[in-house]
Amino acid sequence: VEEGAIGEVLDGMIEIGVRAHVGRVLAAELQAEREKAARDRLLHAVPAGDRPGEADEVDPAAVDDPGSRLVAEVQVLARKEIKSLEDLRGKKVNFGPAGSGSSLTGTLIFQRLGIKVEQALIDQQSGLQKLRSGEVAALVRVVGKPVGFLRNIPADAGLHIVPIPFTKQFADFYTLGELTSKDYPNLIPEGQRVDTVAVPTVLAVYN
């Protein structure tokens, strides 16, 4: 075989190898772009009020018991004239976007207690604005305490946490929870606590 022919073969092999490498790089970049686009679509599919972010970050200094993070407390925020869930009968209550944990669990809580309310299903930031303006009587969040969305509400907002007594209606799927003044100093008087219902949480991974 002539030397020139060998050179051409080698050049061809090198070119093929370079093309293959470039192809792999481009394919990896394309896959990365697709994954990023998928994450962006997933994020923007979640209403702004229920997206994770600074407003929903837990303050580690405010957590008495790390084990409390294994449950998500049902947290009902209302104006101070609302003393109990019964006071919400027939009134408009925001449960967050349809399909969210708050909308599903919150609806079941009221159904089990036999308290019929007018259901609103809007993002919680908008719900808070409507609560302040009086357009809704309360809003429901199901999330581990303390959550910045509630913790950052000013003390002069005229709002508080409504208690949910733990009764036999909840004994099958729920557990006893409590919210304290340390969790929400602007919503619960100092040294006091508010009983509520909590939802056990499970971390599941795919191996």
Side-chain angles (χ1 to χ4, degrees):
V1 180
E2 295 184 0
E3 183 177 346
I6 294 176
E8 290 178 2
V9 171
L10 291 175
D11 289 343
M13 292 176 65
I14 292 173
E15 183 177 355
I16 292 173
V18 170
R19 288 180 176 177
H21 174 70
V22 171
R24 288 193 295 270
V25 171
L26 292 176
E29 290 179 350
L30 179 60
Q31 180 64 23
E33 290 179 359
R34 287 174 175 171
E35 292 176 356
K36 182 179 183 300
R39 288 194 299 270
D40 290 343
R41 286 195 300 271
L42 180 60
L43 175 62
H44 291 293
V46 180
D50 273 19
R51 292 178 195 167
E54 184 178 356
D56 276 341
E57 289 179 358
V58 172
D59 179 2
V63 179
D64 288 316
D65 177 14
S68 67
R69 300 300 297 156
L70 299 178
V71 298
E73 290 83 6
V74 180
Q75 305 177 45
V76 179
L77 182 70
R79 303 189 70 83
K80 289 190 175 180
E81 59 265 25
I82 302 295
K83 305 298 184 182
S84 67
L85 294 189
E86 180 63 37
D87 291 340
L88 293 170
R89 185 181 296 274
K91 294 182 171 61
K92 181 177 287 188
V93 177
N94 184 50
F95 292 90
S100 65
S102 296
S103 70
L104 298 173
T105 300
T107 300
L108 287 173
I109 295 296
F110 279 85
Q111 286 178 348
R112 288 188 175 210
L113 292 173
I115 300 173
K116 188 173 182 180
V117 298
E118 183 180 349
Q119 190 180 59
L121 297 172
I122 59 177
D123 68 90
Q124 297 288 14
Q125 291 288 354
S126 298
L128 180 57
Q129 294 175 7
K130 290 183 180 296
L131 175 59
R132 285 172 165 165
S133 68
E135 295 178 69
V136 300
L139 63 81
V140 180
R141 294 214 66 173
V142 180
V143 63
K145 67 174 184 181
V147 61
F149 175 85
L150 298 176
R151 190 173 172 83
N152 295 333
I153 293 175
D156 61 356
L159 305 174
H160 74 138
I161 303 291
V162 181
I164 307 177
F166 189 85
T167 62
K168 63 181 181 181
Q169 288 101 321
F170 305 124
D172 51 356
F173 294 121
Y174 304 98
T175 186
L176 177 64
E178 70 172 23
L179 306 168
T180 69
S181 57
K182 185 172 181 180
D183 298 322
Y184 301 119
N186 293 340
L187 299 174
I188 300 174
E190 185 176 359
Q192 296 187 22
R193 73 175 192 183
V194 175
D195 290 334
T196 188
V197 174
V199 182
T201 59
V202 176
L203 174 64
V205 297
Y206 177 77
N207 187 355

